[in-house]
Amino acid sequence: MGADVERDGDDEISVQKGDILSLEHTDPALNAKMHLVNNAIDEIGFTRYQWRLFVLNGFGYAVDSLILLIQSIIARQAALEFNPSYSRGLTIAVYVGMLVGALFWGMTADIIGRKFAFNVSLILCSIFAIVAGAAPNWIVLGLFICLSAFGAGGNLVLDTAVFLEYLPSKDQWMLTLMAAWWGIGQLLAGFFAWGFIPNYSCDDPDIVENPGPCTYDNNKGWRYVWFASGALVFVMSILRVTVIRLKETPKFLVGEGKDEECVQTLQDIATKYNRPCSLTLEQMQACGQINLGRRGSVSHAKSKWSFGEIGVHLKGLYATKRIGISTTLIWFSWTLIGLAYPLYNVFLPSYLASRGATFGQTSSYITWRNYTLVNFSGIWGPVLAGYMCATPLGRKYTMVIGALITMAFFFAYTQVRTETQNVVFTCIINFCLNIYYGTLYAYTPEVLPSAHRGTGNGIAIGWNRVMGILSAVIATVADTNTPVPIYICAALYIVMAGVAALFPFEPYGHRSS
């Protein structure tokens, strides 16, 4: 079959590397065509097109963390103004939006393609983020935060999938590096909070004795944070449409049976950047016809607009025993990090505030300065993780090491006694935590079958969001100002390290399918 023919020396290297799911797929023709597409992408190599995707897809990462953290940052000041009956309502709203967004856009991407969801989801996020800043009450604020998160959460599913499906195999480690944008989003959230909240907010009764009333006129800081964030996201969403001008990804087109469009897309990129591409339509057709639209199809049901279509994609994630085990362990890992991460990060402001009070620190300016420093440190965890993933440690043991180091610092953090120690340890924890998190983000799409990548990635992130909702409930009945959440997080990271070691696939030295 065409995929087994070694055309030249470079191709031979590709064949030796192998496609990660080459022995797992249930459709030989689709497997062979994916192999040819991987060969073509390797032959073209890394171009300016991939650099654009790295920056503008990476901003999708930043938007996800930006929306998530801004919600937690502004919740206190908004609550002082609106006096809600349920103070954790915004946390639940943002996670519900991200849950529905991940599932909706993830499954949509496998049905109608990556391009539409990629272009639309970020624009929706920006519009509702801007409107959230003008919310007249707590319920309306929660609604628009939820709608903004719907766009952001769906966008995150597409960022990794689109970037991966254009990446040469030797550069797949950059998928982990792209998670550094998550830290940049956190940093932007910290900067907006640092710039607006201390200067344009009413007095907090927990900090200031005998504060005055909190009204719209004296509490606009949290609104400015939303306006600034939404405007920034809107600019980037426009740049994504105008600078990238994304074409449908070649691997999605193959799964649709559109071999001619797939070849044309790759040839266009090769021509534009003066790179070789020897893939031809005849080579693709020589692999045979994929099971498209027939009973037993691995790509689609008889009707793409039926519930059976979702069933086909779910079944595809369990096509073989190893793929099924991999899918289950990935979803379990996302569930664990979905509980550990919010307990530590979403509720970190309240914990930092309580520690600051212990250290005699009552300045809102200093609190948000420290928060910004912590977020800045998170950028560099994925940078180190990207380097580690490109070594024989691979993705699996990068995650194991990252999780265990994070666990150790979590336990050590409970012994912090000074303000300096507090800032240093939170910075180190955020750095180490993002080694694991960034690698998991990259590993997930790498080992999922291309035809079902959006669905699998969407459900994985969906489990993460479900646990985020649960964490808000836990925070309501528990005291997050104590070290208890830190102990829970540490224990969860031990489990995550064990699960990572059990993953059946290692992408290092292989190519995604």
Side-chain angles (χ1 to χ4, degrees):
M1 191 166 288
D4 297 322
V5 177
E6 297 173 3
R7 299 193 301 271
D8 53 40
D10 291 336
D11 214 14
E12 185 175 355
I13 294 174
S14 296
V15 170
Q16 288 174 355
K17 278 189 172 185
D19 300 340
I20 194 168
L21 300 181
S22 60
L23 302 179
E24 304 293 329
H25 219 292
T26 57
D27 187 336
L30 182 59
N31 178 43
K33 291 183 179 185
M34 287 295 181
H35 184 85
L36 288 176
V37 170
N38 277 336
N39 287 347
I41 292 173
D42 281 350
E43 187 179 11
I44 294 170
F46 200 88
T47 69
R48 289 196 305 277
Y49 186 74
Q50 280 86 356
W51 274 120
R52 291 174 183 172
L53 287 175
F54 177 79
V55 174
L56 296 177
N57 286 35
F59 194 78
Y61 265 83
V63 170
D64 187 83
S65 62
L66 180 71
I67 297 299
L68 183 64
L69 291 186
I70 281 179
Q71 168 277 136
S72 67
I73 286 170
I74 65 95
R76 174 61 180 170
Q77 288 303 135
L80 291 176
E81 182 177 336
F82 294 135
N83 297 309
S85 58
Y86 188 66
S87 61
R88 301 291 180 185
L90 299 188
T91 301
I92 293 179
V94 76
Y95 274 106
V96 167
M98 288 187 168
L99 167 62
V100 177
L103 296 176
F104 176 82
W105 293 110
M107 293 179 181
T108 300
D110 282 340
I111 297 173
I112 64 174
R114 280 55 160 150
K115 181 179 178 179
F116 177 80
F118 181 81
N119 288 335
V120 172
S121 56
L122 204 63
I123 293 176
L124 288 177
C125 172
S126 66
I127 292 171
F128 289 119
I130 293 171
V131 175
N137 57 58
W138 187 257
I139 295 175
V140 173
L141 176 61
L143 172 63
F144 286 120
I145 287 176
C146 182
L147 292 171
S148 180
F150 171 75
N155 183 263
L156 187 65
V157 177
L158 275 299
D159 292 324
T160 51
V162 169
F163 189 50
L164 175 64
E165 293 186 7
Y166 277 107
L167 266 182
S169 58
K170 66 181 179 61
D171 299 307
Q172 280 182 203
W173 63 272
M174 290 187 68
L175 201 61
T176 301
L177 177 63
M178 195 166 74
W181 284 92
W182 177 271
I184 292 175
Q186 293 176 316
L187 181 64
L188 289 172
F191 273 132
F192 286 146
W194 190 10
F196 291 120
I197 292 182
N199 300 315
Y200 302 99
S201 297
C202 61
D203 293 333
D204 188 336
D206 289 345
I207 299 176
V208 179
E209 293 185 8
N210 301 318
C214 193
T215 66
Y216 173 88
D217 292 326
N218 69 358
N219 193 42
K220 293 183 178 179
W222 68 268
R223 297 180 186 273
Y224 293 155
V225 170
W226 276 116
F227 292 148
S229 302
L232 179 62
V233 176
F234 182 75
V235 170
M236 294 305 296
S237 67
I238 298 301
L239 288 177
R240 280 169 62 133
V241 176
T242 56
V243 174
I244 295 181
R245 296 182 181 178
L246 181 74
K247 294 184 177 181
E248 196 54 76
T249 65
K251 292 183 179 180
F252 176 79
L253 292 172
V254 170
E256 294 287 292
K258 298 178 179 178
D259 293 348
E260 185 175 359
E261 290 184 40
C262 170
V263 172
Q264 188 61 50
T265 296
L266 291 170
Q267 290 288 356
D268 287 347
I269 294 174
T271 300
K272 182 175 182 178
Y273 297 102
N274 195 27
R275 299 295 178 89
C277 181
S278 54
L279 180 66
T280 65
L281 179 59
E282 290 73 23
Q283 289 174 331
M284 295 288 283
Q285 292 176 337
C287 297
Q289 292 293 320
I290 65 174
N291 293 326
L292 184 65
R294 300 198 299 269
R295 187 174 180 83
S297 170
V298 299
S299 299
H300 294 293
K302 289 183 178 180
S303 172
K304 290 176 63 175
W305 309 106
S306 66
F307 286 108
E309 174 75 4
I310 298 175
V312 167
H313 290 300
L314 292 174
K315 184 178 179 180
L317 295 169
Y318 287 85
T320 68
K321 182 178 179 180
R322 289 184 76 206
I323 291 178
I325 292 173
S326 175
T327 298
T328 301
L329 291 179
I330 286 171
W331 288 351
F332 183 53
S333 296
W334 277 97
T335 302
L336 293 173
I337 192 72
L339 181 59
Y341 191 80
L343 280 178
Y344 171 70
N345 219 334
V346 173
F347 304 115
L348 182 60
S350 62
Y351 189 76
L352 280 175
S354 69
R355 304 295 279 190
T358 300
F359 306 137
Q361 191 274 100
T362 58
S363 167
S364 175
Y365 177 88
I366 297 298
T367 295
W368 295 113
R369 182 206 66 183
N370 293 347
Y371 193 59
T372 303
L373 290 173
V374 171
N375 293 329
F376 177 75
S377 67
I379 297 173
W380 308 104
V383 174
L384 176 59
Y387 171 79
M388 294 169 67
C389 286
T391 70
L393 281 173
R395 278 61 158 174
K396 288 171 56 175
Y397 290 101
T398 296
M399 283 188 276
V400 170
I401 292 171
L404 292 178
I405 294 176
T406 304
M407 175 271 298
F409 279 104
F410 267 131
F411 280 125
Y413 186 44
T414 61
Q415 303 305 311
V416 164
R417 294 294 180 268
T418 70
E419 183 180 356
T420 301
Q421 291 173 348
N422 184 43
V423 175
V424 170
F425 269 81
T426 49
C427 287
I428 293 174
I429 288 172
N430 215 31
F431 172 87
C432 297
L433 182 151
N434 280 335
I435 294 176
Y436 174 89
Y437 212 170
T439 308
L440 180 63
Y441 261 114
Y443 178 87
T444 300
E446 279 189 292
V447 300
L448 291 172
S450 177
H452 318 294
R453 184 167 285 140
T455 300
N457 208 13
I459 293 175
I461 297 175
W463 278 114
N464 179 278
R465 307 316 189 192
V466 168
M467 298 310 291
I469 296 170
L470 181 60
S471 70
V473 177
I474 292 173
T476 302
V477 299
D479 184 2
T480 55
N481 295 332
T482 72
V484 173
I486 307 299
Y487 286 123
I488 295 174
C489 290
L492 290 172
Y493 272 92
I494 296 174
V495 179
M496 282 184 260
V499 173
L502 296 175
F503 284 146
F505 298 115
E506 172 51 65
Y508 175 74
H510 298 84
R511 308 185 301 189
S512 67
S513 294

